[in-house]
Amino acid sequence: MTAITWKTLLTDWLRRTRELAADLSRPPRPPAAAGGPAARATEYGRIERVVLTDDVSRTLFDEYAGHRATDRGAEETGWVLLGLRRPDEVLVLATLPASTDRNAGVAHVWITGPAHTVASRIVRQDDRRLSILGIVHTHPGTLRHPSAGDLRGDREWVANLRGGEGVFGIGTAGADDGDTTDGVAARPKPHVQSLGGLRFHWYTLGTGDARYRPVPVELTLGPDVAKPLRAVWREVEDHAARLERLATTFARVRFELTEGKHGPALAVVVGLPDPGHAVRVVLEGKDVRYVYEAGGDAFGVDLPDAPPDQGVFLILAEVAARG
C-alpha cells in the first residue's frame, strides 16, 4: 500500500502560498444586481459528479502514458486540478503537471511546489472563477483507491477547498475486463475511465468524511486551459520563486506566452503607474531578456546576469534616478 505523506506535502505548500491559497478557496464574490441587493452566495452541496473536458481527459492519459515510457516510469506522478466548483459538481478545466524535480519513488510522490503557485496565477488571470479542485496521482501497483496515507493528509486539506470537498483521481496501469483495444476509451464503471491499459478511478472526500466516495465521471467538450504552459514549464519552474515575488510586489503583473528566439517563451509584464509604461521580462530557457516600454517605444536593457525580480528592480531604480 502506498504511503504518500500528503499532510506534510500540502500543509507546507499551503503555508508557503497562503495568500494564493486563501484566494483560491474563497467563493467568488457575487455580482451586485443593478439597483438591488447582491446575489446570494453559492450554496455548495456534495459533489455528485466530476465533469472533465475532453482535452483534460486526454492530457491525463497522454501524460501518464508518456511518463511510463521514461526512465522514471516506475515512479508515481500526478497533477493538480483546477476548474469550477458548482453546487453539486465540479468542472475540471486545467491540469498542472508534477514538478520536474518532484520527490518521487515507487511508493510516494511530492507533486506540488512553487511552480504551481505561479502556474495557478497564470491560468486564473483570465478567469478568476477557477479554483483548485483536487489532485490526481498514480499508483505503480494495483491499488485503485486512495491509501490510508492519502486519507490522513487529504482529510485536513479539503477544508481549504470551496464547499469543503475535493476530487481525487487514482491512476493505475494494466489491462482488465471492460478495457478496449481499439484506441477508444471505455467506462467500465461510473467512476472509472480506461484507455490503452491505463485507468483513472475518481473519488471525492469532504471535511469530516471517514472514507472516500466513488464519484461518477463524465466528459464534455472543452480545453485544458493549462496545456499551453507545458511549452514554458521549464521557465516557470526555474524562476517560480522570483516570479511569485514580482506578482505579490506589484499591483499590475501579467504573464504571457510569446514567441522567443528559438521557440516558445514566457513573458512577464510589470505595469507601472505611468500609462503605457511597463517592464517586460522574457524568459526563454536560461536566457532572461529585459525591455522597458514607454509610450509605444521599447528599449532593450542589457542585464544578462540579473534574475527576473532583481532585473526589474534595477531598471526601476535607474528610471527613478533619471527622473
Side-chain angles (χ1 to χ4, degrees), residues 76-295:
E76 294 189 2
T77 189
W79 301 261
V80 176
L81 304 177
L82 289 88
L84 302 179
R85 175 63 158 100
R86 293 170 171 168
D88 64 350
E89 69 178 20
V90 296
L91 173 60
V92 183
L93 293 167
T95 61
L96 303 179
S99 299
T100 303
D101 62 350
R102 63 190 178 275
N103 177 9
V106 297
H108 71 282
V109 58
W110 185 326
I111 68 171
T112 58
H116 294 88
T117 303
V118 175
S120 296
R121 288 189 180 277
I122 297 173
V123 170
R124 297 182 68 245
Q125 65 185 358
D126 291 322
D127 190 346
R128 298 289 293 177
R129 299 175 304 158
L130 302 183
S131 67
I132 294 177
L133 301 174
I135 290 173
V136 178
H137 72 274
T138 64
H139 286 169
T142 59
L143 184 65
R144 293 175 173 174
H145 57 80
S147 69
D150 298 338
L151 179 61
R152 285 192 294 271
D154 293 344
R155 182 181 286 161
E156 296 190 14
W157 181 62
V158 294
N160 295 283
L161 304 180
R162 291 177 183 169
E165 188 175 14
V167 172
F168 301 90
I170 300 295
T172 58
D176 205 345
D177 293 340
D179 290 344
T180 62
T181 58
D182 55 4
V184 177
R187 195 172 70 150
K189 296 180 180 180
H191 73 293
V192 180
Q193 295 174 291
S194 172
L195 177 65
L198 304 179
R199 285 191 169 206
F200 286 102
H201 291 64
W202 292 91
Y203 303 87
T204 68
L205 184 73
T207 305
D209 286 352
R211 61 182 61 87
Y212 296 86
R213 239 180 0 114
V215 62
V217 59
E218 301 176 4
L219 294 185
T220 189
L221 297 178
D224 179 345
V225 297
K227 184 177 287 187
L229 284 180
R230 270 44 172 199
V232 294
W233 192 253
R234 174 184 173 186
E235 287 79 2
V236 172
E237 287 194 318
D238 286 350
H239 304 284
R242 296 182 181 277
L243 296 180
E244 179 66 7
R245 184 183 182 193
L246 288 174
T248 56
T249 299
F250 296 93
R252 293 188 297 147
V253 175
R254 182 167 181 83
F255 298 90
E256 301 175 355
L257 272 65
T258 187
E259 189 64 29
K261 294 180 178 179
H262 308 288
L266 176 65
V268 188
V269 183
V270 179
L272 304 180
D274 292 337
H277 289 237
V279 177
R280 178 180 294 268
V281 186
V282 181
L283 308 171
E284 183 179 2
K286 297 297 183 181
D287 188 21
V288 182
R289 301 188 295 275
Y290 298 90
V291 177
Y292 182 74
E293 301 174 345

Side-chain angles (χ1 to χ4, degrees), residues 52-61 92-95 222-224:
L52 310 178
T53 66
D54 56 329
D55 207 19
V56 161
S57 186
R58 176 62 69 180
T59 295
L60 294 175
F61 277 106
V92 183
L93 293 167
T95 61
D224 179 345

